[in-house]
């Protein structure tokens, strides 16, 4: 039987999106909720995360919770996921979205900024995937989705360490596939191009930079966070059950052209 659009439904699924009280992550939880998932908003600020969860629940009518734990601390991750699973049941979908950016010429890049990038952009994804996958293996199903970047393939001055973390996310995703696919789990990544968010407003307002983005992107525009929802729902749903270890670029064609 050929599956219909029901394969994209997330009814009955529970999804956690890290770093989702604002920006791209906020849109991702809204998209998962609209597809029927019970969603968990995560953030560093408990009040902000709770407010975002309440707003998502009001907008979608879907059960929404919020959690706060340090994704860069493996003990905090283990405790946070244990508490969440005890309250809400098993996680069917994990979206590793938490991330930061630091910019400086390579010769001036500080040890502290390097360590922060590694901890937030890479180590957190490993800690979350390691912890959440244990329950997924026991149940024989689950979806792990990493949020990468076009900078996993394309470098720019001043962000070499950031590019290194996003390149590592691509390979971590492949490694998760190798370990987890035999257990019925799919691990994939989404690599956004240049998106207009609260965190990129300074760049959006910089007409010289915005002109470069529009000219470098075949679609001729910045991405809107809503552009990511279709790819996310696909990778979080049964529609992608035979897709594993892949990175889907949602970049308006940027990585397709020179």
């Amino acid at each position: 039987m050929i599956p219909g659009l029901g394969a994209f439904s997330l009814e009955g699924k529970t999804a956690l999106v890290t770093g989702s009280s604002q920006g791209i992550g906020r849109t991702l939880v809204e998209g998962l909720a609209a597809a029927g998932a019970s969603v968990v908003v995560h953030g560093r600020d408990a009040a902000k995360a709770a407010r975002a969860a309440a707003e998502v629940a009001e907008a979608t009518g879907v059960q929404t919770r919020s959690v706060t734990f340090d994704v860069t601390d493996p003990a905090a991750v283990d405790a946070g996921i244990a508490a969440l699973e005890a309250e809400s049941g098993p996680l069917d979908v994990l979206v590793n979205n938490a991330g930061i950016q630091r910019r400086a010429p390579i010769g001036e890049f500080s040890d502290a900024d390097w360590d922060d990038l590694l901890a937030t952009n890479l180590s957190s994804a490993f800690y979350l995937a390691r912890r959440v996958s244990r329950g997924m293996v026991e149940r024989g199903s689950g979806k792990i989705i990493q949020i990468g970047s076009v900078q996993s393939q394309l470098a720019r001055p001043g962000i070499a360490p950031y590019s290194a973390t996003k390149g590592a996310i691509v390979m971590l995703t492949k490694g998760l596939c190798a370990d987890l696919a035999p257990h019925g789990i799919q691990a994939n990544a989404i690599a956004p191009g240049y998106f207009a968010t609260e965190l990129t407003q300074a760049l959006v307002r910089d007409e010289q930079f915005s002109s470069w983005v529009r000219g470098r992107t075949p679609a001729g525009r910045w991405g809107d966070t809503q552009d990511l929802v279709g790819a996310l729902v696909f990778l979080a749903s049964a529609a992608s059950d035979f897709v594993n270890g892949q990175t889907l670029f949602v970049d308006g064609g940027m990585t397709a052209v020179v």
Side-chain angles (χ1 to χ4, degrees), residues 16 67 69 74-91 128 131-132 134:
L16 166 67
V67 293
F69 56 82
V77 167
D78 288 351
I81 296 300
L84 176 60
E85 290 179 332
E87 177 185 350
S88 306
L91 285 172
L128 265 297
R131 176 59 180 79
V132 173
R134 292 170 184 159

Side-chain angles (χ1 to χ4, degrees), residues 149-156 163-164 166-167 170-171 174 191 216 247 249 251 255:
S149 170
V150 292
Q151 261 77 52
S152 63
Q153 298 295 314
L154 304 173
R156 280 183 56 80
S163 296
K166 292 304 184 179
V170 170
M171 289 311 301
K174 291 178 182 290
R216 181 65 179 80
T247 297
F249 286 85
D251 62 1
T255 52

Side-chain angles (χ1 to χ4, degrees), residues 2-243:
I2 298 175
L5 291 179
F8 293 87
S9 173
L10 298 177
E11 293 284 345
K13 304 296 184 182
T14 300
L16 166 67
V17 182
T18 64
S20 53
S21 60
Q22 66 177 5
I24 286 175
R26 170 66 178 271
T27 301
L28 298 183
V29 292
E30 291 173 350
L32 292 171
S38 173
V39 294
V40 183
V41 175
H42 165 270
R44 291 178 294 182
D45 183 322
K48 188 174 183 179
R51 185 166 58 251
E55 290 170 356
V56 171
E58 182 177 1
T60 64
V62 171
Q63 185 178 28
T64 307
R65 299 176 177 83
S66 66
V67 293
T68 304
F69 56 82
D70 183 354
V71 295
T72 70
D73 179 343
V77 167
D78 288 351
I81 296 300
L84 176 60
E85 290 179 332
E87 177 185 350
S88 306
L91 285 172
D92 303 291
V93 180
L94 167 66
V95 183
N96 280 319
N97 170 72
I100 59 173
Q101 174 65 287
R102 299 283 187 270
R103 294 182 174 88
I106 191 64
E108 302 170 17
F109 216 95
S110 71
D111 292 345
D113 281 346
W114 168 254
D115 290 342
D116 284 347
L117 280 167
L118 282 178
T120 307
N121 294 0
L122 181 58
S123 293
S124 69
F126 166 72
Y127 298 147
L128 265 297
R130 178 178 63 181
R131 176 59 180 79
V132 173
S133 68
R134 292 170 184 159
M136 291 179 172
V137 168
E138 290 178 2
R139 296 186 300 276
S141 66
K143 305 279 186 175
I144 298 175
I145 303 160
Q146 325 266 37
I147 303 302
S149 170
V150 292
Q151 261 77 52
S152 63
Q153 298 295 314
L154 304 173
R156 280 183 56 80
I159 60 167
Y162 177 84
S163 296
T165 63
K166 292 304 184 179
I169 283 292
V170 170
M171 289 311 301
L172 176 60
T173 301
K174 291 178 182 290
L176 292 174
C177 167
D179 277 351
L180 300 176
H183 301 282
I185 301 161
Q186 292 79 53
N188 293 287
I190 296 172
Y194 283 84
F195 276 71
T197 70
E198 297 101 316
L199 300 180
T200 60
Q201 278 307 301
L203 295 176
V204 174
R205 289 192 296 265
D206 182 336
E207 184 49 40
Q208 182 178 3
F209 190 82
S210 269
S211 178
W212 175 83
V213 169
R214 293 191 298 269
R216 181 65 179 80
T217 306
R221 65 175 176 85
W222 285 78
D224 183 288
T225 54
Q226 291 292 334
D227 293 323
L228 296 166
V229 171
L232 176 67
V233 171
F234 167 62
L235 292 177
S237 71
S240 62
D241 279 355
F242 203 56
V243 179

